[in-house]
Amino acid sequence: MALREARREDIRRIVEMLADDDVSRGREDVSGDMAAYHAAFDAIAADANNTLYVWDEDGAVTGCLQLTFLPGLSYRGSLIAQVEGVRVDRALRGRGIGEKMMAVVAATARARGCKHLQLLTDKRRVDARRFYARLGFAASHEGMKLAL
């Protein structure tokens, strides 16, 4: 069991997990052309400040997330780590996989000298919000989005 960098052959499984969610249902589509997902994977892989990870249990992908390092001038030019798309296979939730993934991500961010590890979670994701609070994340800011 380990968090490892995602490979091209993991894309379909990652998208399946992203789609298996009440909030994001209908946003993803694994039934058709995967070209857009492959292009996104290639863009992430080509960016030194972006990594797509999967939790691998004996060759089975059971979790995923994306870690991005955001350079900025604030905090004396510190990097900010941002995590996105955190998912654990619905059948395996509650077994500590998410906590282990987030621990590795936090350690990676610390090693890179990041000032903060931040994330967004939809307000409707009550269980996710409780999970992140248990890990020490504080709801210190109000996020806003503009649909384009």
Side-chain angles (χ1 to χ4, degrees):
M1 297 183 283
L3 194 66
R4 64 163 172 81
E5 287 191 32
R7 298 185 290 254
R8 195 175 241 322
E9 60 265 25
D10 299 324
I11 294 172
R12 181 173 296 279
R13 179 67 183 121
I14 293 167
V15 176
E16 287 171 350
M17 286 187 290
L18 291 173
D20 184 24
D21 179 277
D22 294 337
V23 174
S24 62
R25 188 161 285 122
R27 186 169 59 197
E28 310 302 341
D29 181 12
V30 295
S31 65
D33 184 10
M34 298 290 288
Y37 296 110
H38 289 170
F41 177 86
D42 293 343
I44 293 165
D47 183 346
N49 282 322
N50 261 299
T51 307
L52 189 60
Y53 289 103
V54 295
W55 185 259
D56 188 314
E57 291 196 17
D58 301 318
V61 172
T62 59
C64 63
L65 60 82
Q66 181 177 341
L67 179 61
T68 303
F69 295 102
L70 306 167
L73 294 177
S74 192
Y75 298 103
R76 299 182 180 183
S78 294
L79 286 173
I80 303 296
Q82 181 160 314
V83 66
E84 297 276 338
V86 179
R87 296 291 194 284
V88 172
D89 183 295
R90 181 180 298 274
L92 301 175
R93 291 179 189 157
R95 297 185 185 181
I97 294 170
E99 189 170 346
K100 291 173 190 171
M101 290 193 316
M102 294 303 291
V104 173
V105 165
T108 301
R110 276 189 205 93
R112 285 278 304 260
C114 292
K115 179 68 176 171
H116 296 288
L117 174 59
Q118 65 187 24
L119 57 83
L120 297 172
T121 188
D122 193 289
K123 290 180 178 184
R124 296 171 287 179
R125 297 179 197 271
V126 176
D127 291 339
R129 292 171 59 87
R130 190 173 23 252
F131 168 73
Y132 294 123
R134 187 171 55 78
L135 296 183
F137 284 83
S140 62
H141 292 68
E142 185 75 18
M144 299 174 76
K145 289 188 176 187
L146 175 65
L148 303 175

